[in-house]
Coordinates of all heavy atoms in Angstrom, one line a residue:
M1 N 3.5 33.1 7.4 CA 3.3 33.6 6.0 C 3.8 32.6 5.0 O 3.2 32.3 3.9 CB 4.3 34.8 5.9 CG 4.3 35.5 4.5 SD 2.7 36.1 4.0 CE 3.1 36.8 2.4
Q2 N 5.0 31.9 5.2 CA 5.5 30.8 4.3 C 4.5 29.7 4.2 O 4.3 29.1 3.1 CB 6.8 30.5 4.7 CG 7.6 29.9 3.4 CD 9.1 29.8 3.8 OE1 9.4 29.7 5.1 NE2 9.9 29.8 2.8
I3 N 3.9 29.3 5.4 CA 3.0 28.2 5.4 C 1.8 28.5 4.6 O 1.2 27.6 3.9 CB 2.5 27.9 6.9 CG1 3.7 27.3 7.7 CG2 1.3 26.9 6.9 CD1 4.2 26.0 7.4
E4 N 1.3 29.7 4.6 CA 0.2 30.1 3.8 C 0.5 30.1 2.3 O -0.4 29.5 1.4 CB -0.3 31.5 4.1 CG -1.0 31.6 5.5 CD -2.2 30.7 5.5 OE1 -3.0 30.7 4.6 OE2 -2.4 30.1 6.6
R5 N 1.7 30.4 1.8 CA 2.1 30.2 0.5 C 2.1 28.8 0.1 O 1.7 28.4 -1.1 CB 3.4 30.9 0.2 CG 3.4 32.4 0.3 CD 4.7 33.0 0.0 NE 5.3 32.6 -1.3 CZ 6.5 32.6 -1.6 NH1 7.5 32.9 -0.7 NH2 6.9 32.2 -2.8
I6 N 2.6 28.0 1.0 CA 2.6 26.5 0.7 C 1.2 26.0 0.5 O 0.9 25.2 -0.3 CB 3.4 25.8 1.8 CG1 4.9 26.1 1.7 CG2 3.3 24.2 1.6 CD1 5.8 25.7 2.9
W7 N 0.3 26.4 1.5 CA -1.0 26.0 1.4 C -1.7 26.4 0.1 O -2.6 25.7 -0.4 CB -1.9 26.4 2.7 CG -3.2 25.9 2.7 CD1 -4.3 26.6 2.7 CD2 -3.6 24.6 2.7 NE1 -5.4 25.7 2.6 CE2 -4.9 24.4 2.7 CE3 -2.9 23.3 2.7 CZ2 -5.7 23.3 2.7 CZ3 -3.6 22.2 2.7 CH2 -4.9 22.1 2.8
D8 N -1.4 27.7 -0.3 CA -2.1 28.0 -1.5 C -1.6 27.1 -2.7 O -2.5 26.9 -3.5 CB -1.6 29.5 -1.9 CG -2.3 30.5 -1.0 OD1 -3.4 30.2 -0.5 OD2 -1.7 31.7 -0.9
F9 N -0.4 26.7 -2.7 CA 0.1 25.8 -3.7 C -0.6 24.5 -3.6 O -1.1 23.9 -4.7 CB 1.7 25.7 -3.6 CG 2.1 24.5 -4.4 CD1 2.4 24.7 -5.8 CD2 2.5 23.4 -3.8 CE1 2.8 23.6 -6.5 CE2 3.0 22.2 -4.6 CZ 3.1 22.4 -6.0
L10 N -0.7 24.0 -2.3 CA -1.3 22.6 -2.2 C -2.7 22.6 -2.5 O -3.3 21.6 -3.0 CB -1.1 22.3 -0.7 CG 0.3 22.0 -0.2 CD1 0.3 21.7 1.3 CD2 0.9 20.9 -1.1
R11 N -3.5 23.7 -2.4 CA -4.9 23.8 -2.7 C -5.2 23.7 -4.2 O -6.1 23.2 -4.7 CB -5.6 25.1 -2.2 CG -6.1 25.0 -0.9 CD -6.9 26.2 -0.5 NE -6.0 27.4 -0.5 CZ -6.1 28.4 0.3 NH1 -7.1 28.4 1.2 NH2 -5.3 29.4 0.2
R12 N -4.1 24.1 -5.0 CA -4.1 23.9 -6.5 C -4.0 22.5 -6.9 O -4.3 22.1 -8.2 CB -3.3 24.8 -7.2 CG -3.7 26.3 -7.0 CD -2.9 27.2 -7.8 NE -2.1 28.0 -6.8 CZ -0.9 28.4 -6.8 NH1 -0.1 28.0 -7.7 NH2 -0.4 29.1 -5.9
L13 N -3.4 21.6 -6.1 CA -3.2 20.2 -6.5 C -4.6 19.4 -6.5 O -5.6 19.8 -5.8 CB -2.3 19.6 -5.5 CG -1.0 20.0 -5.3 CD1 -0.3 19.3 -4.1 CD2 -0.1 20.0 -6.6
T14 N -4.6 18.4 -7.3 CA -5.9 17.5 -7.5 C -5.9 16.8 -6.1 O -5.0 16.6 -5.4 CB -5.8 16.5 -8.5 OG1 -4.6 15.5 -8.3 CG2 -5.5 17.2 -9.9
P15 N -7.2 16.5 -5.8 CA -7.5 15.8 -4.5 C -6.6 14.3 -4.4 O -6.1 14.0 -3.3 CB -9.0 15.3 -4.6 CG -9.6 16.5 -5.4 CD -8.5 16.8 -6.4
S16 N -6.5 13.7 -5.5 CA -5.6 12.5 -5.5 C -4.2 12.8 -5.2 O -3.6 12.1 -4.4 CB -5.8 11.7 -6.8 OG -5.3 12.5 -7.9
T17 N -3.7 13.8 -5.7 CA -2.3 14.2 -5.4 C -2.1 14.7 -3.9 O -1.2 14.4 -3.3 CB -1.8 15.4 -6.4 OG1 -2.0 14.9 -7.7 CG2 -0.4 15.7 -6.2
Q18 N -3.2 15.5 -3.5 CA -3.2 15.8 -2.1 C -3.2 14.6 -1.2 O -2.5 14.6 -0.2 CB -4.4 16.6 -1.8 CG -4.3 18.1 -2.3 CD -5.5 18.9 -2.1 OE1 -6.6 18.5 -1.6 NE2 -5.5 20.2 -2.3
N19 N -4.0 13.6 -1.5 CA -4.0 12.4 -0.8 C -2.7 11.7 -0.8 O -2.3 11.1 0.3 CB -5.1 11.5 -1.3 CG -5.6 10.4 -0.2 OD1 -5.3 10.5 0.8 ND2 -6.1 9.4 -0.9
C20 N -2.0 11.6 -1.9 CA -0.7 11.0 -2.0 C 0.3 11.7 -1.0 O 1.0 11.2 -0.4 CB -0.1 10.9 -3.4 SG -1.0 9.7 -4.4
L21 N 0.2 13.0 -1.1 CA 1.2 13.9 -0.3 C 0.8 13.6 1.2 O 1.8 13.5 2.0 CB 1.0 15.3 -0.6 CG 1.8 16.2 0.2 CD1 3.3 16.1 0.1 CD2 1.5 17.8 -0.1
L22 N -0.4 13.5 1.6 CA -0.8 13.3 3.0 C -0.3 11.9 3.4 O 0.4 11.8 4.6 CB -2.1 13.4 3.2 CG -2.7 13.0 4.6 CD1 -2.2 14.0 5.5 CD2 -4.3 13.1 4.6
S23 N -0.4 10.9 2.6 CA 0.0 9.6 2.9 C 1.6 9.6 3.1 O 2.1 9.0 4.0 CB -0.3 8.6 1.8 OG -1.6 8.5 1.6
E24 N 2.3 10.3 2.3 CA 3.8 10.4 2.4 C 4.1 11.1 3.6 O 5.1 10.7 4.3 CB 4.3 11.0 1.1 CG 5.9 11.1 1.1 CD 6.5 9.6 1.0 OE1 5.9 8.7 0.6 OE2 7.7 9.5 1.4
L25 N 3.5 12.2 3.9 CA 3.9 12.9 5.2 C 3.5 12.1 6.4 O 4.3 12.1 7.3 CB 3.1 14.2 5.2 CG 3.4 15.4 4.2 CD1 2.4 16.6 4.3 CD2 4.8 15.9 4.5
E26 N 2.5 11.3 6.4 CA 2.1 10.5 7.5 C 3.2 9.4 7.5 O 3.6 8.9 8.7 CB 0.7 9.9 7.3 CG -0.4 10.9 7.6 CD -1.7 10.4 7.2 OE1 -1.8 9.5 6.4 OE2 -2.7 11.0 7.7
R27 N 3.8 8.8 6.5 CA 4.7 7.8 6.5 C 6.0 8.3 7.0 O 6.6 7.6 8.0 CB 5.0 7.3 5.1 CG 6.0 6.1 5.1 CD 6.4 5.8 3.6 NE 7.2 6.9 3.1 CZ 8.4 7.2 3.3 NH1 9.1 6.4 4.2 NH2 9.0 8.1 2.7
M28 N 6.4 9.6 6.7 CA 7.5 10.3 7.2 C 7.4 10.4 8.8 O 8.3 10.2 9.5 CB 7.8 11.6 6.7 CG 8.3 11.4 5.1 SD 8.3 13.0 4.3 CE 9.4 14.0 5.3
E29 N 6.2 10.8 9.2 CA 6.0 10.9 10.6 C 6.2 9.6 11.3 O 6.7 9.6 12.4 CB 4.5 11.5 10.8 CG 4.2 11.6 12.3 CD 2.7 12.0 12.5 OE1 1.9 11.8 11.6 OE2 2.5 12.7 13.5
L30 N 5.7 8.5 10.8 CA 5.8 7.3 11.5 C 7.2 6.7 11.5 O 7.6 6.1 12.4 CB 4.9 6.2 10.7 CG 3.4 6.3 10.9 CD1 2.6 5.4 10.0 CD2 3.1 6.1 12.3
C31 N 8.1 7.2 10.5 CA 9.4 6.9 10.5 C 10.2 7.8 11.3 O 11.5 7.5 11.5 CB 10.0 6.9 9.1 SG 9.3 5.7 8.0
G32 N 9.7 8.7 11.9 CA 10.4 9.6 12.8 C 11.1 10.8 12.2 O 11.9 11.5 12.7
I33 N 10.8 11.0 10.8 CA 11.4 12.0 10.2 C 10.6 13.4 10.4 O 9.4 13.4 10.2 CB 11.4 11.8 8.6 CG1 12.2 10.5 8.4 CG2 12.1 13.0 7.9 CD1 12.1 10.0 7.0
D34 N 11.4 14.4 11.0 CA 10.6 15.6 11.3 C 10.9 16.7 10.3 O 12.1 17.0 10.0 CB 11.1 16.1 12.8 CG 10.4 17.3 13.2 OD1 9.1 17.5 12.8 OD2 10.9 18.1 13.8
M35 N 9.8 17.1 9.7 CA 10.0 18.3 8.7 C 9.2 19.5 9.2 O 8.0 19.4 9.6 CB 9.2 17.7 7.3 CG 9.7 18.7 6.3 SD 9.1 18.1 4.7 CE 7.3 18.4 4.7
P36 N 9.9 20.5 9.4 CA 9.1 21.7 9.9 C 7.9 22.2 9.2 O 8.0 22.2 8.0 CB 10.3 22.8 9.8 CG 11.6 22.1 9.7 CD 11.3 20.8 9.0
G37 N 6.9 22.4 9.9 CA 5.7 22.8 9.3 C 4.8 21.7 8.7 O 3.7 21.8 8.4
S38 N 5.2 20.4 8.8 CA 4.5 19.3 8.3 C 3.3 19.1 9.1 O 2.2 18.5 8.6 CB 5.4 18.1 8.1 OG 5.8 17.6 9.4
A39 N 3.3 19.2 10.5 CA 2.1 19.0 11.3 C 0.9 19.8 10.8 O -0.2 19.3 10.7 CB 2.5 19.0 12.8
D40 N 1.2 21.0 10.6 CA 0.1 21.9 10.2 C -0.4 21.6 8.8 O -1.6 21.6 8.5 CB 0.6 23.4 10.1 CG -0.5 24.4 9.8 OD1 -1.6 24.3 10.3 OD2 -0.2 25.4 9.0
I41 N 0.5 21.2 7.8 CA 0.0 20.8 6.5 C -0.7 19.5 6.6 O -1.7 19.4 5.9 CB 1.3 20.6 5.6 CG1 1.9 22.1 5.4 CG2 0.9 20.0 4.3 CD1 3.3 22.1 4.7
R42 N -0.2 18.6 7.4 CA -1.0 17.3 7.6 C -2.4 17.6 8.1 O -3.4 17.0 7.6 CB -0.3 16.3 8.5 CG 0.9 15.7 7.8 CD 1.4 14.5 8.7 NE 1.6 14.8 10.2 CZ 2.6 15.2 10.6 NH1 3.8 15.4 9.9 NH2 2.7 15.5 12.0
A43 N -2.5 18.4 9.2 CA -3.8 18.7 9.8 C -4.8 19.5 8.7 O -6.0 19.0 8.6 CB -3.7 19.7 10.8
R44 N -4.2 20.4 7.9 CA -5.0 21.0 6.9 C -5.4 20.0 5.8 O -6.6 20.1 5.3 CB -4.3 22.2 6.3 CG -4.2 23.3 7.3 CD -3.7 24.5 6.5 NE -3.7 25.7 7.5 CZ -3.5 27.0 7.0 NH1 -3.4 27.2 5.8 NH2 -3.5 27.9 7.9
L45 N -4.5 19.1 5.4 CA -4.9 18.2 4.3 C -5.9 17.2 4.7 O -6.8 16.9 4.0 CB -3.6 17.5 3.8 CG -2.7 18.2 2.9 CD1 -1.3 17.5 2.6 CD2 -3.4 18.6 1.5
R46 N -5.8 16.7 6.0 CA -6.8 15.8 6.6 C -8.1 16.5 6.6 O -9.1 15.8 6.1 CB -6.3 15.4 8.0 CG -5.3 14.4 8.0 CD -4.9 13.9 9.4 NE -3.7 13.1 9.5 CZ -2.8 13.4 10.2 NH1 -2.8 14.3 11.3 NH2 -1.7 12.6 10.2
A47 N -8.2 17.8 7.1 CA -9.5 18.5 7.1 C -10.0 18.6 5.8 O -11.3 18.4 5.5 CB -9.3 19.7 7.8
E48 N -9.2 19.0 4.7 CA -9.7 19.2 3.4 C -10.2 18.0 2.8 O -11.2 17.9 2.0 CB -8.6 19.8 2.5 CG -9.0 20.3 1.3 CD -9.8 21.5 1.3 OE1 -9.8 22.3 2.3 OE2 -10.6 21.6 0.3
L49 N -9.4 16.8 2.9 CA -9.7 15.7 2.3 C -10.9 14.9 2.8 O -11.7 14.3 2.2 CB -8.6 14.7 2.2 CG -7.4 15.1 1.2 CD1 -6.2 14.3 1.5 CD2 -7.8 15.2 -0.2
R50 N -11.0 15.0 4.3 CA -12.2 14.3 4.9 C -13.4 14.9 4.8 O -14.4 14.3 4.8 CB -11.8 14.3 6.4 CG -10.6 13.5 6.7 CD -10.6 12.2 7.2 NE -9.4 11.3 7.0 CZ -8.4 11.3 7.7 NH1 -8.2 12.3 8.6 NH2 -7.4 10.6 7.5
K51 N -13.5 16.3 4.4 CA -14.8 17.0 4.2 C -15.4 16.5 2.9 O -16.6 16.5 2.7 CB -14.7 18.4 4.3 CG -14.0 19.1 3.0 CD -14.1 20.6 3.2 CE -13.5 21.3 1.9 NZ -13.4 22.7 1.9
E52 N -14.5 16.0 2.0 CA -15.1 15.5 0.6 C -15.5 14.1 0.7 O -16.1 13.6 -0.2 CB -14.0 15.7 -0.5 CG -13.6 17.2 -0.6 CD -12.6 17.4 -1.6 OE1 -12.1 16.4 -2.2 OE2 -12.2 18.5 -1.8
E53 N -15.0 13.3 1.7 CA -15.3 11.9 1.8 C -16.7 11.7 2.2 O -17.0 12.2 3.3 CB -14.4 11.1 2.7 CG -12.9 11.1 2.2 CD -12.1 10.4 3.2 OE1 -12.5 9.9 4.3 OE2 -10.8 10.2 2.9
P54 N -17.6 10.9 1.6 CA -18.9 10.6 2.1 C -18.8 9.7 3.3 O -18.0 8.7 3.3 CB -19.6 9.9 1.0 CG -18.4 9.4 0.0 CD -17.3 10.3 0.2
A55 N -19.6 9.9 4.2 CA -19.6 9.2 5.5 C -20.1 7.7 5.3 O -19.8 6.9 6.1 CB -20.4 9.8 6.6
Q56 N -20.7 7.4 4.2 CA -21.3 6.2 3.9 C -20.2 5.0 3.7 O -20.4 3.9 3.6 CB -22.3 6.1 2.8 CG -21.7 6.6 1.5 CD -22.9 6.9 0.5 OE1 -23.9 7.1 0.9 NE2 -22.4 7.0 -0.8
N57 N -18.9 5.5 3.3 CA -17.8 4.6 3.1 C -17.3 4.0 4.4 O -16.6 3.0 4.3 CB -16.8 5.3 2.3 CG -17.1 5.6 0.8 OD1 -18.0 5.0 0.4 ND2 -16.4 6.5 0.3
L58 N -17.7 4.4 5.5 CA -17.2 3.8 6.7 C -18.0 2.5 7.0 O -19.2 2.6 7.0 CB -17.4 4.8 8.0 CG -16.6 6.2 7.8 CD1 -17.1 7.1 8.9 CD2 -15.2 5.9 7.8
P59 N -17.2 1.6 7.4 CA -17.9 0.3 7.7 C -18.7 0.4 9.0 O -18.3 1.0 10.0 CB -16.9 -0.8 7.9 CG -15.7 0.1 8.2 CD -15.8 1.4 7.6
T60 N -19.9 -0.2 9.1 CA -20.8 -0.3 10.2 C -20.3 -1.4 11.1 O -19.8 -2.4 10.6 CB -22.3 -0.3 9.8 OG1 -22.3 -1.6 9.2 CG2 -22.7 0.8 9.0
P61 N -20.7 -1.4 12.4 CA -20.4 -2.5 13.2 C -21.1 -3.8 12.7 O -20.6 -4.8 12.8 CB -20.9 -2.1 14.6 CG -20.8 -0.6 14.6 CD -21.1 -0.2 13.2
F62 N -22.3 -3.6 12.2 CA -23.0 -4.7 11.6 C -22.3 -5.4 10.6 O -22.1 -6.6 10.4 CB -24.4 -4.2 11.1 CG -25.3 -5.2 10.5 CD1 -26.1 -6.1 11.2 CD2 -25.2 -5.4 9.1 CE1 -26.9 -7.0 10.6 CE2 -26.1 -6.4 8.5 CZ -26.9 -7.2 9.3
S63 N -21.7 -4.6 9.5 CA -21.1 -5.1 8.4 C -19.7 -5.8 8.9 O -19.3 -6.8 8.2 CB -20.9 -4.2 7.3 OG -20.1 -3.0 7.7
C64 N -19.1 -5.2 9.8 CA -17.8 -5.8 10.3 C -18.1 -7.1 11.0 O -17.2 -8.1 10.8 CB -17.1 -4.7 11.2 SG -16.5 -3.2 10.4
F65 N -19.1 -7.2 11.8 CA -19.4 -8.5 12.5 C -19.7 -9.6 11.5 O -19.1 -10.7 11.7 CB -20.5 -8.2 13.4 CG -20.8 -9.3 14.3 CD1 -20.0 -9.6 15.4 CD2 -21.9 -10.2 14.1 CE1 -20.3 -10.7 16.3 CE2 -22.2 -11.3 14.7 CZ -21.4 -11.5 15.9
F66 N -20.4 -9.3 10.5 CA -20.8 -10.3 9.5 C -19.9 -10.5 8.3 O -20.2 -11.4 7.4 CB -22.2 -10.3 9.1 CG -23.3 -10.4 10.2 CD1 -24.0 -9.4 10.7 CD2 -23.5 -11.7 10.7 CE1 -25.0 -9.7 11.7 CE2 -24.4 -11.9 11.7 CZ -25.1 -10.8 12.2
A67 N -18.8 -9.7 8.3 CA -18.0 -9.9 7.1 C -17.4 -11.3 6.9 O -17.2 -11.6 5.7 CB -16.8 -8.8 7.3
P68 N -17.0 -12.1 8.0 CA -16.5 -13.3 7.6 C -17.5 -14.2 7.0 O -17.1 -15.2 6.3 CB -16.1 -13.9 9.0 CG -16.0 -12.7 9.9 CD -16.9 -11.7 9.4
L69 N -18.8 -14.0 7.0 CA -19.8 -14.7 6.5 C -20.2 -14.4 5.1 O -21.0 -15.0 4.4 CB -21.1 -14.8 7.3 CG -20.9 -15.2 8.8 CD1 -22.2 -14.9 9.5 CD2 -20.6 -16.6 8.8
E70 N -19.5 -13.4 4.5 CA -19.8 -12.9 3.1 C -20.0 -13.9 2.1 O -20.8 -13.8 1.3 CB -18.8 -11.7 2.9 CG -19.4 -10.9 1.7 CD -20.6 -10.1 1.8 OE1 -20.9 -9.6 3.0 OE2 -21.4 -10.1 0.9
L71 N -19.0 -14.8 2.0 CA -19.0 -15.8 1.0 C -20.2 -16.8 1.1 O -20.6 -17.4 0.1 CB -17.7 -16.7 0.9 CG -16.5 -15.9 0.6 CD1 -15.3 -16.7 0.9 CD2 -16.5 -15.4 -0.7
L72 N -20.8 -16.9 2.3 CA -21.9 -17.8 2.4 C -23.3 -17.1 2.3 O -24.4 -17.7 2.2 CB -21.9 -18.5 3.9 CG -20.7 -19.2 4.2 CD1 -20.6 -19.7 5.6 CD2 -20.6 -20.4 3.3
L73 N -23.4 -15.8 2.2 CA -24.5 -15.0 2.1 C -25.0 -15.0 0.7 O -24.5 -14.9 -0.2 CB -24.4 -13.6 2.6 CG -23.9 -13.4 4.0 CD1 -23.6 -12.0 4.3 CD2 -24.8 -14.0 4.9
I74 N -26.5 -15.0 0.7 CA -27.2 -14.9 -0.6 C -28.2 -14.0 -0.3 O -28.8 -13.6 0.7 CB -27.8 -16.3 -1.0 CG1 -28.8 -16.8 -0.1 CG2 -26.7 -17.3 -1.4 CD1 -29.6 -18.1 -0.6
D75 N -28.7 -13.3 -1.4 CA -29.8 -12.4 -1.4 C -31.1 -13.1 -1.8 O -31.6 -13.1 -3.0 CB -29.6 -11.2 -2.4 CG -28.4 -10.3 -2.1 OD1 -28.3 -10.1 -0.7 OD2 -27.6 -9.9 -2.9
G76 N -31.7 -13.7 -0.9 CA -32.9 -14.5 -1.1 C -33.8 -14.4 0.0 O -33.6 -13.7 1.1
D77 N -35.0 -15.1 0.0 CA -35.9 -15.1 1.0 C -35.5 -15.9 2.2 O -35.1 -17.1 2.0 CB -37.3 -15.7 0.5 CG -38.4 -15.5 1.5 OD1 -38.2 -14.8 2.4 OD2 -39.4 -16.2 1.2
P78 N -35.4 -15.4 3.4 CA -34.9 -16.1 4.6 C -35.7 -17.4 4.9 O -35.3 -18.4 5.4 CB -34.9 -15.2 5.8 CG -35.5 -14.0 5.2 CD -35.7 -14.0 3.7
D79 N -37.1 -17.4 4.3 CA -37.9 -18.5 4.6 C -37.7 -19.6 3.5 O -38.2 -20.8 3.8 CB -39.4 -18.0 4.6 CG -39.7 -17.1 5.8 OD1 -39.0 -17.1 6.8 OD2 -40.5 -16.3 5.6
H80 N -37.1 -19.3 2.5 CA -36.8 -20.3 1.4 C -35.5 -21.2 1.9 O -34.6 -20.7 2.3 CB -36.6 -19.6 0.1 CG -36.4 -20.6 -1.0 ND1 -35.2 -20.9 -1.5 CD2 -37.4 -21.1 -1.9 CE1 -35.4 -21.8 -2.5 NE2 -36.8 -21.8 -2.8
A81 N -35.7 -22.5 1.6 CA -34.5 -23.4 1.9 C -33.4 -23.1 1.1 O -33.4 -23.1 -0.2 CB -35.0 -24.8 1.8
N82 N -32.2 -22.9 1.7 CA -31.0 -22.6 1.0 C -29.8 -23.5 1.6 O -29.2 -23.1 2.6 CB -30.5 -21.2 1.1 CG -31.6 -20.2 0.4 OD1 -31.8 -20.3 -0.7 ND2 -32.1 -19.3 1.2
S83 N -29.7 -24.6 1.1 CA -28.6 -25.6 1.6 C -27.2 -25.0 1.6 O -26.8 -24.7 0.5 CB -28.8 -26.8 0.8 OG -27.7 -27.7 1.4
G84 N -26.7 -24.9 2.9 CA -25.3 -24.4 2.9 C -25.2 -22.9 2.8 O -24.0 -22.4 2.8
R85 N -26.2 -22.2 2.7 CA -26.1 -20.7 2.4 C -27.0 -20.0 3.5 O -27.8 -20.6 4.2 CB -26.7 -20.3 1.1 CG -26.0 -20.9 -0.1 CD -24.6 -20.4 -0.1 NE -23.9 -20.8 -1.3 CZ -22.7 -20.5 -1.7 NH1 -22.1 -19.5 -1.0 NH2 -22.1 -21.1 -2.6
I86 N -26.6 -18.8 3.7 CA -27.4 -18.0 4.8 C -28.0 -16.8 4.0 O -27.4 -16.1 3.2 CB -26.4 -17.4 5.8 CG1 -25.7 -18.6 6.6 CG2 -27.1 -16.5 6.8 CD1 -24.5 -18.1 7.3
A87 N -29.3 -16.7 4.3 CA -30.0 -15.5 3.6 C -29.6 -14.2 4.3 O -29.5 -14.1 5.5 CB -31.5 -15.8 3.7
R88 N -29.2 -13.2 3.4 CA -28.7 -12.0 4.0 C -29.9 -11.4 4.9 O -29.6 -10.7 5.8 CB -28.4 -11.1 2.8 CG -27.7 -9.9 3.3 CD -27.2 -9.1 2.0 NE -26.4 -9.8 1.1 CZ -25.1 -9.9 1.1 NH1 -24.5 -9.3 2.2 NH2 -24.4 -10.6 0.2
G89 N -31.1 -11.6 4.6 CA -32.2 -11.0 5.3 C -32.3 -11.5 6.7 O -33.0 -10.9 7.5
S90 N -31.7 -12.7 7.0 CA -31.8 -13.3 8.3 C -30.8 -12.7 9.3 O -30.9 -13.0 10.5 CB -31.8 -14.7 8.3 OG -30.4 -15.1 7.8
L91 N -29.8 -11.8 8.8 CA -28.8 -11.4 9.6 C -29.3 -10.3 10.6 O -28.9 -10.2 11.7 CB -27.7 -10.8 8.9 CG -26.9 -11.8 7.9 CD1 -25.8 -11.1 7.2 CD2 -26.4 -12.9 8.7
A92 N -30.2 -9.5 10.1 CA -30.7 -8.3 10.9 C -31.4 -8.8 12.3 O -31.0 -8.3 13.4 CB -31.7 -7.4 10.3
P93 N -32.2 -9.8 12.2 CA -32.7 -10.4 13.5 C -31.7 -10.9 14.4 O -31.7 -10.8 15.7 CB -33.7 -11.5 13.0 CG -34.1 -11.2 11.7 CD -32.9 -10.4 11.1
L94 N -30.7 -11.5 13.8 CA -29.5 -12.1 14.6 C -28.8 -11.0 15.3 O -28.3 -11.1 16.5 CB -28.5 -12.9 13.8 CG -29.0 -14.2 13.2 CD1 -28.0 -14.9 12.2 CD2 -29.3 -15.2 14.4
W95 N -28.6 -9.9 14.6 CA -27.8 -8.7 15.1 C -28.7 -8.1 16.2 O -28.0 -7.7 17.3 CB -27.6 -7.7 14.0 CG -26.9 -6.5 14.4 CD1 -27.5 -5.2 14.6 CD2 -25.4 -6.3 14.8 NE1 -26.5 -4.3 15.1 CE2 -25.3 -5.0 15.2 CE3 -24.4 -7.2 14.7 CZ2 -24.0 -4.6 15.5 CZ3 -23.2 -6.8 15.2 CH2 -23.0 -5.5 15.6
E96 N -29.9 -8.0 16.1 CA -30.8 -7.4 17.2 C -30.8 -8.2 18.4 O -30.9 -7.8 19.5 CB -32.2 -7.1 16.5 CG -32.1 -6.0 15.5 CD -33.5 -5.8 14.8 OE1 -34.5 -6.5 15.2 OE2 -33.7 -4.9 13.9

């Protein structure tokens, strides 16, 4: 019953405030501080916040693999000569 009252209060918070609270609860968990009921609140906040996050924000294996080359990449024709640069269009064949 008391957890439900707390959850009703938490639902009225803005998403950014909920995210800050979740971060703080996770930090407390990592530090070994046990707060009764926090596991349920963390689980509910994670579920609530994650359903609003678009899945496109997650990095793909392709982008992670080529991230170190980002400063050398240009958006140009891979057939055109680019001294010291790598055409972004040429990465897909390399990946495949």
Side-chain angles (χ1 to χ4, degrees):
M1 177 68 179
Q2 204 168 24
I3 296 286
E4 288 303 319
R5 288 182 55 206
I6 292 171
W7 184 242
D8 287 338
F9 170 76
L10 294 176
R11 274 192 293 219
R12 287 185 247 138
L13 299 175
T14 64
S16 62
T17 305
Q18 289 177 351
N19 196 21
C20 288
L21 176 62
L22 177 59
S23 297
E24 185 63 21
L25 289 173
E26 289 172 337
R27 186 192 65 77
M28 289 173 58
E29 178 186 27
L30 290 174
C31 291
I33 301 171
D34 185 34
M35 189 172 81
S38 66
D40 184 43
I41 292 171
R42 281 193 313 270
R44 285 186 178 199
L45 282 173
R46 284 182 190 130
E48 188 70 25
L49 292 171
R50 302 255 159 73
K51 75 177 182 183
E52 295 174 5
E53 290 180 1
Q56 63 195 13
N57 288 344
L58 299 175
T60 63
F62 178 87
S63 63
C64 290
F65 184 79
F66 290 112
L69 301 176
E70 190 63 38
L71 295 175
L72 301 173
L73 297 178
I74 59 168
D75 294 322
D77 186 12
D79 296 330
H80 186 266
N82 298 301
S83 179
R85 299 292 178 172
I86 302 169
R88 194 177 302 276
S90 67
L91 296 181
L94 291 172
W95 178 254
E96 291 172 0

